[in-house]
Each structure stands twice: as C-alpha cells, then as structure tokens.
Amino acid sequence: MFLSNHLPNHHDCLPKYELIQAVHTHMAGISDSSYRCIYMEEDDEGETGVNIGKDLLGVGNKAIRSNITSLARLILPIREKLLYMSGFCSKPDLKRAFEHFLPHVGGKPLLDELQKSLGLSDEGMEPSRMTLLRYGNVSSSSVWYELAYTEAKGWVKKGDRVWQITFGAGFKCSSMVWRALRRVDVNDEENPWKDEIETFPMEMKAMEGVTPYLNSLDEFAQ
C-alpha cells in the first residue's frame, strides 16, 4: 500500500510513503467493560452524550501494551529482538525501528507519558506538542497534522520510517508504520503548516490536559 497526495494521473504521482506494517488491536470482544469504557448513550433527560467509564485507564493500558508488543515483534531489527528474547535488555528499544514517532494527540499528560516510557527526545515529540498547541485534541486525525509538521520542517528523508499510533473507543489502538520513498517536498502547497512553520516550535505554557488513556507503558512488553 502506498500513500500519495497526488491524483493517479498527476505528472508527479510518485507516492511519498509505503506502508510496511499495520497492527490493529480491538478490545471490545474481550469484555463488557472494554466495550462500554467509552460509550454513547442517553441520559435520564433523553440527551445523547459520551459516557466515559471507570475502566478506561485499565482497558486502555491493556490495548496499548498489546498493540505495541505485537508491533515490536514485526519491526524491530533482528539484533534488538535477540537481545530482548535472551534477557540482555528488559524491554526492546523501539527507537531503533523508526525515525519519526507520531502519536494520537489526546492531551499533554498522554504525550508526557509516551515520551517518558519510550525514552524520546524533546525534538522527537515536537510535532505532537506543536499539533496540540495549534489545533488542540483533534482525535485520531492529529497524526496527519503531525506528519504535515514533520514534512514542513524538512525532516523526512528517503528511507525514513514513520510510526503513527491512534486510540479510540472500543477500546481500540492502531499502529501504522510507513517508509518514505523519497525526500518529501517541504514546499507542498497543501501543507497546513506551510505559512507558519518558521514560527514553530513555540513554548508551551502549562496546559490542562484530559485524563490520559494510560498510566504507564514501562512494562508494555511483558
């Protein structure tokens, strides 16, 4: 599968990315608590809204750990797999499997936890934090704003691997890993960051984040 922002008959239709792995984890079939942790229903007055259950954190933890563990088995270099399986390291180093990490922007606490758990640099989290700063929590679509930010900065080189991970009701967790087939043009007319990219990154003031989907990923591989 390939990803391009041009129509098939466009003179420059060489795809930008090739999909190399996709992992989808869906917890709804496991238990009622998974299915109803984020659920639309009517209240006593007949108004429909989203009910967030008390089991959200626990269910979210399980889904994310399961997804990342499955993905790690597919994308990690052989040497890293062997070190992990032989017990020489307590958890695999996912940073060896990608150059760009673009997670669902669900709030500052979530991004803080992901950065800590995966050992990512501030620059590595910049697309996520600047997307949160400029657009807020736009749910799973945030990963495309993050990708556009990374492209606008000129960071995507040929051969780079991009990991997108999103979360949703059900509880669901999906990962996609793309490989860049070429250096991405930083002057893309349709890039939403194009006219302002020189002003980023900006300093983020203290932000009130939503309750994160997870407590900790330190033991995701177990």
Side-chain angles (χ1 to χ4, degrees), residues 26-37:
H26 193 209
M27 307 291 287
I30 295 178
S31 65
D32 288 341
S33 61
S34 298
Y35 178 64
R36 298 183 65 88
C37 67

Side-chain angles (χ1 to χ4, degrees), residues 156-213:
V156 181
K157 310 295 192 301
K158 182 178 179 179
D160 279 4
R161 295 155 298 178
V162 179
W163 176 22
Q164 296 174 315
I165 182 170
T166 61
F167 321 121
F171 187 92
K172 299 185 288 290
C173 180
S174 296
S175 285
M176 299 176 70
V177 180
W178 304 88
R179 179 185 291 114
L181 297 176
R182 56 184 171 86
R183 182 183 178 89
V184 177
D185 184 4
V186 298
N187 295 316
D188 189 337
E189 293 289 339
E190 299 178 358
N191 191 304
W193 299 89
K194 182 177 183 296
D195 295 332
E196 300 182 64
I197 193 61
E198 297 302 327
T199 66
F200 289 91
M202 296 180 179
E203 182 178 354
M204 292 187 72
K205 298 180 181 178
M207 298 181 66
E208 297 259 343
V210 298
T211 301
Y213 285 129

